Amino acid sequence: MESQKIKTRNTVLILMILGAVAIRFVTYYLSSFITYSTPSLNNWVAISNFTPVGAVALFGGTYFTDKWKAYLVPLGALFISDLVLNYLYSSRIAIDYTATFWVYLSFAIIVFIGTRIKKVNFLSVGAASVLSVVIFSLLTDFPWLYGGALYPHTLLGYEQSLVAAIPFQKNMLLGDVVFGLILFGGFELAKNKYSVLRTNTKLAV
């Protein structure tokens, strides 16, 4: 009986993660519409990075009792969606392996942060979201990662890159808050209603 409950719980978690990741394609088509209708950098910045990726990583890390699934499911779903989105943007399977390593290292750390959440509430998830965005920015905004010359490849250039990334990281934090509320709040409500989704395993073990 317990194994069946775990299987049901994992299935629901996976479906919620896949549903959230699918929102990335809505963002893609919305950004394409904005770009073609009103081509402006400010319009693009307004929605860039507003995605569920951070919330998905935290969510998986928090709720999967098998921690290898906590990493595999969110990171696997994000990687597959990255491949599809890269193809939509460039009509080819394109991966910048250097940048991708740091991006996925960031997401893996965010999953780990999720595994440390002992009790799901606004304070714990909110604090985890802020920490996640800070770590993501620190690890992915190196000016030398993307082969460009926009900023000097120095500590000063790194500082300039971090400052320039603030609008994007604000959007990421907003995405974490909105999608985190949907994912965490939705699963907590479902747990209260359906006992099959509950587990005797404590969080952050």
Side-chain angles (χ1 to χ4, degrees), residues 81-96:
S81 64
D82 275 345
L83 291 179
V84 176
L85 286 170
N86 286 340
Y87 183 79
L88 290 174
Y89 277 113
S90 63
S91 297
R92 61 190 180 91
I93 303 297
I95 298 177
D96 182 335

Side-chain angles (χ1 to χ4, degrees), residues 79-147:
F79 181 72
I80 292 172
S81 64
D82 275 345
L83 291 179
V84 176
L85 286 170
N86 286 340
Y87 183 79
L88 290 174
Y89 277 113
S90 63
S91 297
R92 61 190 180 91
I93 303 297
I95 298 177
D96 182 335
Y97 292 99
T98 302
T100 298
F101 169 80
W102 291 101
V103 168
Y104 278 84
L105 175 62
S106 302
F107 287 138
I109 293 174
I110 294 172
V111 172
F112 176 76
I113 293 172
T115 68
R116 298 295 92 196
I117 294 178
K118 296 182 178 181
K119 186 176 182 179
V120 173
N121 53 42
F122 287 107
L123 180 60
S124 63
V125 176
S129 297
V130 172
L131 180 59
S132 298
V133 171
V134 171
I135 289 175
F136 183 85
S137 182
L138 290 175
L139 291 181
T140 62
D141 286 322
F142 296 116
W144 52 85
L145 275 185
Y146 304 96

Side-chain angles (χ1 to χ4, degrees), residues 160-180:
Q160 293 172 342
S161 178
L162 289 172
V163 171
I166 289 176
F168 301 97
Q169 305 312 336
K170 285 182 179 179
N171 289 349
M172 182 177 180
L173 179 59
L174 181 60
D176 285 355
V177 170
V178 171
F179 293 108

Side-chain angles (χ1 to χ4, degrees), residues 38-46 168:
T38 54
S40 165
L41 179 61
N42 290 334
N43 289 327
W44 181 72
V45 170
F168 301 97

